[in-house]
């Protein structure tokens, strides 16, 4: 995490687990005494947004920025002007949680000045258990559509192949095969293999990419 760029953009297919990764990533940054801002730029999906955990995250010292309208249960695509503050203030480490699908990447256009000269990392969250990204060719097509809409390039892949609390080692290994093929075809590295903690402990240690154990902040205890 320490060698990632200060501005991290998290993108991927709807339901790939990008918000869970974004939240966990911000929490890990905060643990190493970073000044962290988590920006919820999801104007696509009403559910499972990082803004839902604002109180919890702010208690951890993470600044959460989302809608300019204080109505989290209302589907209004309004983005706060506060987003500019941590982007401009280089004392912040910033995690931008985009909405799923290429349409979710469109919002980056208003912040393009902050991404010039490669001053960002854009993580493509790949869940091979999603039909639309189940093969390398499908995942590449989806990635290209996101890049075209965002007008910037993906810099790293994250294998986040999961079945929520039912995730197995086999899920991750199957997803790793897809991620490796994407990586080879596009010359984009696999940076992280993100997975729930009990499965992370069982993964082979020689996998390409850093194993990133996660808690399920976005899933309530009663949810499967």
């Amino acid at each position: 995490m320490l060698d990632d760029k200060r501005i991290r953009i998290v993108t991927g297919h709807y339901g790939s687990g990008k918000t869970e990764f974004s939240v966990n990533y911000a929490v890990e940054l905060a643990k190493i005494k970073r000044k962290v801002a988590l920006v919820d730029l999801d104007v696509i999906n009403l559910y499972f947004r990082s803004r839902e955990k604002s109180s919890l995250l702010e208690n951890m010292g993470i600044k959460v920025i989302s809608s300019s309208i204080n109505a989290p249960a209302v589907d209004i695509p309004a983005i706060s002007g506060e987003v500019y503050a941590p982007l401009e203030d280089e004392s912040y480490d910033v995690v931008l949680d985009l909405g799923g699908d290429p349409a979710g990447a469109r919002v980056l256009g208003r912040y393009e000045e902050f991404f010039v000269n490669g001053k960002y990392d854009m993580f493509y969250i790949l869940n091979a258990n999603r039909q639309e990204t189940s093969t390398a060719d499908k995942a590449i097509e989806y990635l290209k559509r996101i890049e075209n809409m965002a007008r910037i390039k993906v810099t790293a892949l994250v294998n986040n192949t999961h079945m929520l609390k039912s995730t197995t080692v086999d899920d991750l290994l199957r997803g790793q095969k897809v991620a490796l093929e994407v990586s080879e075809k596009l010359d984009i590295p696999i940076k992280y293999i993100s997975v729930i903690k009990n499965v992370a402990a069982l993964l082979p240690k020689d996998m390409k990419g850093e194993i990133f154990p996660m808690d399920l902040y976005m899933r309530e205890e009663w949810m499967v």
Side-chain angles (χ1 to χ4, degrees):
M1 299 179 71
L2 295 177
D3 62 349
D4 294 335
K5 299 292 177 62
R6 182 181 74 86
I7 298 172
R8 292 89 159 176
I9 303 163
V10 183
T11 188
H13 186 272
Y14 167 73
S16 60
K18 58 180 186 51
T19 294
E20 194 71 81
F21 177 81
S22 298
V23 169
N24 274 270
Y25 192 103
V27 168
E28 291 305 309
L29 281 175
K31 285 179 182 176
I32 53 178
K33 308 302 182 184
R34 295 295 185 108
K35 188 176 175 182
V36 182
L38 174 60
V39 181
D40 182 349
L41 289 179
D42 190 347
V43 295
I44 302 298
N45 178 36
L46 178 59
Y47 303 104
F48 299 109
R49 292 168 168 171
S50 50
R51 68 188 73 173
E52 296 173 18
K53 300 299 176 180
S54 292
S55 296
L56 172 67
L57 295 171
E58 286 168 359
N59 285 337
M60 296 179 181
I62 299 167
K63 182 177 181 66
V64 180
I65 301 171
S66 57
S67 174
S68 58
I69 298 172
N70 187 20
V74 179
D75 195 10
I76 301 174
I79 297 173
S80 173
E82 284 187 85
V83 174
Y84 285 97
L87 290 174
E88 292 172 342
D89 183 349
E90 295 192 0
S91 68
Y92 270 100
D93 279 72
V94 185
V95 181
L96 302 178
D97 178 17
L98 294 185
D101 305 339
R106 183 183 290 120
V107 71
L108 287 180
R110 70 174 67 183
Y111 309 111
E112 61 184 347
E113 65 190 277
F114 299 104
F115 310 137
V116 295
N117 301 320
K119 293 182 178 180
Y120 71 94
D121 270 314
M122 184 152 78
F123 300 131
Y124 179 67
I125 309 299
L126 196 162
N127 180 357
N129 281 337
R130 299 293 296 183
Q131 179 60 34
E132 295 83 351
T133 53
S134 59
T135 68
D137 287 342
K138 287 181 177 181
I140 288 171
E141 179 185 358
Y142 217 86
L143 182 153
K144 291 296 184 184
R145 287 172 59 195
I146 288 173
E147 287 184 333
N148 288 339
M149 188 65 76
R151 292 179 291 179
I152 56 175
K153 296 292 185 181
V154 168
T155 63
L157 307 175
V158 177
N159 174 12
N160 189 50
T161 303
H162 68 88
M163 290 292 288
L164 301 173
K165 295 177 183 178
S166 299
T167 302
T168 66
V169 170
D170 285 343
D171 287 316
L172 267 293
L173 295 180
R174 184 171 62 255
Q176 189 73 353
K177 289 180 180 178
V178 176
L180 284 168
E181 190 174 345
V182 173
S183 176
E184 290 167 5
K185 287 184 175 180
L186 299 182
D187 194 26
I188 298 173
I190 300 172
K191 186 62 193 287
Y192 298 108
I193 301 160
S194 52
V195 62
I196 53 178
K197 287 181 175 177
N198 62 308
V199 177
L202 303 176
L203 291 176
K205 305 304 180 187
D206 59 349
M207 296 177 72
K208 255 189 187 176
E210 178 183 339
I211 296 174
F212 187 91
M214 297 198 301
D215 290 307
L216 293 181
Y217 290 103
M218 301 308 299
R219 304 293 297 183
E220 304 299 338
E221 285 297 322
W222 54 269
M223 293 180 176
V224 296

